[in-house]
Amino acid sequence: MNQTEKKTLIDKKILLSAIKGSFIKLNPRYMMKNPVIFVVEIGFFITLLLSFVPDLFGSVNTNARTYNMIVTFILFITVLFANFAESVAEGRGKAQAESLKKTQKDMKARILKENKSEEMVDANQLKKGDLVLVKSGELIPTDGEVVEGIASVDESAITGESAPVVKENGGDFASVTGGTTVVSDWLKIRVTSNPGESFLDKMISLVEGASRKKTPNEIALNTLLVSLTIIFLIVIVTLYPLASYVGVKLEISTLIALTVCLIPTTIGGLLSAIGIAGMDRVTRFNVIAMSGKAVEACGDVDTMILDKTGTITYGNRMAAEFSPVKGVSEVELIEKAVLSSLQDDTPEGKSIVDLGIKQTGKHFSENLQTIFIEFTAQTRMSGIDIENGTKIRKGASDAIIEYVQLIGGYIPKDLEEIVRNISSLGGTPLVVSENKTILGVIYLKDTIKPGLVERFARLREIGIKTIMCTGDNPLTAATIAQEAGVDSFIAQCKPEDKIKVIKDEQSEGKVVAMTGDGTNDAPALAQADVGIAMNSGTSAAKEAANMIDLDSDPTKILDVVEIGKQLLITRGSLTTFSIANDVAKYFAIIPAMFMNVIPQLGVLNIMALSTSYSAILSALIFNALIIPLLIPLAMRGVKYKPQRSEKMLIHNMLIYGLGGMIAPFIGIKMIDLVITPILIIIGL
C-alpha cells in the first residue's frame, strides 16, 4: 500500500459504500447489537408515530406535530451517523479485501502427478498434500512448503515490500504464501492448506471485518454503556410524574430527546468503528491480526519477550575493531585482514572489508592472483594464498595459534590478553596471521540494531518489562543486554525456557508478548497473550501465533504494542469525551424544561438559550453532529505518547474530559443562535 492510500481516510468508493451501509444497518435485528443506538432507534419510531398522531399521549401543544417531526428527523440522522461511522471503518477493510481477492482471481496451478506428468488446474482445486511446480514469472497458487529448488520470490502483493525473498527447501525460509510471485528459477511446492483455508483466505475474511467479534474490553465497555443507558431510562421514567406534580406537562418527544442526549450515544455510535479501525491500523502496518482481541491485548502488554538474534541484534557478528599485537601497526593488520576477506562472502567477511575501508580510506585491489581458502568446521579458519607464496589466514585464536606453531611461527606474548579482553566483552576474537607471523585480532561483535535503545527506553516509560532470550553464554548475553538496554535476559535459552518465563509472568497476572519464526518458537507463541510470527517463518509458527508480520521484521512488536495502546487510549478518551458531553447537555435541557414553572432554575441556564424548544433541539442536533465529526479521530486514533498511566490519565481528563464539557456549551449555543429564528417562523 502506498503512502497516498495510507493517508486517505475516505475515498469516493468507501463513502458511497458507507452511506449505503448506514441505511442497511437500520434493520432492528442488527441495531440490537448496539443497545445504546438501538434505544435511539426506538425513540425514532415513537416520535415518528407521534408525528402522525400528535395527541396519542394527550399532548396539548398546538404545534406538537411540527415539533415531533423535527425531533424524528434529528433522531433518524443520529442513528444514520452512528451507522455511518461503523460502515466507514468496515469499508476500509473491505477495500483491502477486494485488492487481495484480485490476487486470487483466475489463478492457475501446474500440478505434478505421480507419473511425473504436469497438468494445469484452477488454484481453488488444490488440496493439502498436492505437489505443484511454479516457474519464473508465475504466481504461487496457494500456501505451501518448498520441497525442491531455490528461487527469489516477490512478496510485495502481500507484504508491500519490494525486495524479493530467497526461498529454498529446509530451514525457516521454506514457507511460501499464495499470491506471491516467483521472479527467478523455479520451485516445487507441497500444498499445506485446503481450498478456503489458505493464509490469503484468512486475510480476506479478517480485513473484511465480517467475522470480527467484540473483544473482552469492548464487551466490558458495552456493559458500562448499557448500564448508564438503563439508569438514565429510569431517571426519565420517574421524571414524567415529578414534572406533572409541579405542573409541567412534558411532551413524550421531549422526554425521548432528553434520553437520547443523556445516554452515551457518542461513544455508543463510535465504539464499533474504533475497534474495526484498530484492526485496520494494524493491517496497514503490514501485520495481520487474527482477532480484535489480539490487537487489544497489545495495549495491555506488561512483559515483552524478544529473541536476541535477528530481533535485538542483526544476527551476524560484525567487525568492530582491529587490535594489533605489539610491534605490528594497525594499518598493516587492517590491510592483511581486508585482503583475506575480499573474496569472503560471509557477513563477517564483508564487515571486515567495510570497516577496513572506513578506517583507512583506502580501496583494496582484487587484482592479485590469489587462491581463496574457505572456512570449514575442521580448520576453523579462512584466508588467501597469494602467487608470491604469502599465506594470510584469519580464524579462531586456538586454530591460528596451532597453525602458526606447526610451521614454526612465534606466538606474541600480548595475544592472549587481547583475546581474553574481547571475549570478556561478549565478542568473538578473530586472529589474523601472515605466514609465520601473528599480526593481531579482529573484534567481532553482535551489533545492536540502531534505535532499539531508545525504543526500549520508551517501553520502560510506559511500564513494559523487556526480557531478551538468547542461546549465547551468560557473559555474551549480559554484554548485549546491557548495551541494548533490556531489563533482563535469559542465556543459553531453550524453547522450554521461553514457555516457562511466559507462564511465570502470566501467573503474576501480566500480559505477555513475544516474537518468533521457527517451529521451536511455536509453543511459546501459542502460550503468549500476543504472539507475532514472521511471515518468512515456518507454518507451525504462523499457526501458533495470533498475529503475523508480513514484513518479517521482529522489532515490529514494539510498534504493534503502541498501536494496541493507541486503540485503548482512543476508546478511553472518546468515552471520557462522551460522558463529559452528557453533563453539558444536562445544563441545556433540564433548565429549559422547568424554567417556566420554576423560575429559580433559570440560574442553571448558563448558556442563555432562547426557548425550551430551542434548548432541546440544539442539544439534540449537537448530539447528532458530534458523531460524524469524531469519525476521523476514531479512525486515526488519539495521538499516542509513551508515558506512565497516571500522567496519561491526567492528560486525557484535561483534554477530553474538560474539552468534552466545553465543546457542547459552545456548539449548542451556536446551534441555538442559528435555529431560534427558524423556530420563531414555524411557531415553536
Side-chain angles (χ1 to χ4, degrees), residues 160-229:
E161 178 58 51
S162 57
V165 180
V166 176
K167 298 288 185 177
E168 59 184 316
N169 181 29
D172 290 346
F173 289 89
S175 174
V176 292
T177 305
T180 56
T181 307
V182 174
V183 293
S184 71
D185 304 295
W186 55 269
L187 293 173
K188 276 187 185 178
I189 299 166
R190 190 169 304 282
V191 177
T192 56
S193 61
N194 287 317
E197 298 175 359
S198 72
F199 182 53
L200 201 57
D201 289 311
K202 290 176 184 176
M203 285 173 63
I204 291 168
S205 65
L206 286 166
V207 298
E208 278 184 321
S211 60
R212 178 183 175 273
K213 296 179 181 178
K214 291 188 185 297
T215 64
N217 185 285
E218 201 171 345
I219 291 170
L221 183 54
N222 231 0
T223 303
L224 171 65
L225 299 183
V226 170
S227 301
L228 288 174
T229 301

Side-chain angles (χ1 to χ4, degrees), residues 429-450:
L430 207 62
V431 178
V432 179
S433 69
E434 181 182 19
N435 297 327
K436 299 179 181 181
T437 305
I438 290 179
L439 303 174
V441 186
I442 305 168
Y443 173 19
L444 297 181
K445 62 177 293 188
D446 213 349
T447 308
I448 304 294
K449 291 185 176 181

Side-chain angles (χ1 to χ4, degrees), residues 139 216 361 397 426 504 568:
L139 286 174
S397 60
D504 288 345
L568 295 180

Side-chain angles (χ1 to χ4, degrees), residues 83-360:
N83 289 345
F84 180 76
E86 185 172 354
S87 296
V88 166
E90 288 178 351
R92 284 166 66 86
K94 287 176 181 176
Q96 286 184 315
E98 287 302 318
S99 67
L100 291 172
K101 285 177 180 177
K102 289 177 184 176
T103 306
Q104 285 188 317
K105 191 177 181 182
D106 300 326
M107 202 182 293
K108 298 288 184 180
R110 184 184 289 102
I111 192 167
L112 299 176
K113 297 188 174 181
E114 291 183 6
N115 60 7
K116 297 185 179 180
S117 63
E118 300 177 5
E119 181 185 353
M120 295 299 292
V121 299
D122 288 334
N124 56 19
Q125 294 179 15
L126 294 174
K127 304 182 298 296
K128 193 172 182 177
D130 284 345
L131 195 65
V132 296
L133 175 65
V134 187
K135 297 180 180 179
S136 177
E138 295 178 349
L139 286 174
I140 295 174
T142 188
D143 297 355
E145 297 279 347
V146 177
V147 295
E148 189 179 340
I150 178 170
S152 295
V153 176
D154 178 5
E155 298 186 323
S156 58
I158 304 296
T159 67
E161 178 58 51
S162 57
V165 180
V166 176
K167 298 288 185 177
E168 59 184 316
N169 181 29
D172 290 346
F173 289 89
S175 174
V176 292
T177 305
T180 56
T181 307
V182 174
V183 293
S184 71
D185 304 295
W186 55 269
L187 293 173
K188 276 187 185 178
I189 299 166
R190 190 169 304 282
V191 177
T192 56
S193 61
N194 287 317
E197 298 175 359
S198 72
F199 182 53
L200 201 57
D201 289 311
K202 290 176 184 176
M203 285 173 63
I204 291 168
S205 65
L206 286 166
V207 298
E208 278 184 321
S211 60
R212 178 183 175 273
K213 296 179 181 178
K214 291 188 185 297
T215 64
N217 185 285
E218 201 171 345
I219 291 170
L221 183 54
N222 231 0
T223 303
L224 171 65
L225 299 183
V226 170
S227 301
L228 288 174
T229 301
I230 292 171
I231 290 169
F232 279 120
L233 284 172
I234 294 171
V235 170
I236 301 304
V237 169
T238 56
L239 189 62
Y240 187 81
L242 285 173
S244 298
Y245 179 76
V246 297
V248 176
K249 179 66 176 177
L250 295 177
E251 299 289 340
I252 296 299
S253 51
T254 297
L255 291 174
I256 291 172
L258 178 62
T259 303
V260 170
C261 285
L262 293 186
I263 64 176
T265 49
T266 305
I267 186 63
L270 295 170
L271 188 58
S272 294
I274 294 169
I276 295 170
M279 288 189 69
D280 173 65
R281 207 173 297 125
V282 171
T283 303
R284 287 185 286 119
F285 223 76
N286 269 357
V287 174
I288 296 297
M290 297 306 180
S291 67
K293 182 179 179 181
V295 180
E296 195 169 274
C298 290
D300 290 325
V301 166
D302 302 296
T303 304
M304 191 178 294
I305 313 290
L306 303 109
D307 275 331
K308 176 185 77 74
T309 306
T311 302
I312 294 175
T313 67
Y314 283 107
N316 298 308
R317 293 176 180 266
M318 316 292 278
E321 187 180 327
F322 296 101
S323 300
V325 296
K326 191 174 182 180
V328 177
S329 70
E330 186 178 13
V331 172
E332 184 182 359
L333 170 61
I334 292 173
E335 287 180 349
K336 298 303 187 289
V338 171
L339 283 174
S340 70
S341 305
L342 286 174
Q343 300 174 60
D344 186 350
D345 288 331
T346 65
E348 293 86 353
K350 291 177 180 177
S351 72
I352 292 169
V353 174
D354 291 341
L355 183 63
I357 293 172
K358 182 180 178 182
Q359 291 197 1
T360 63

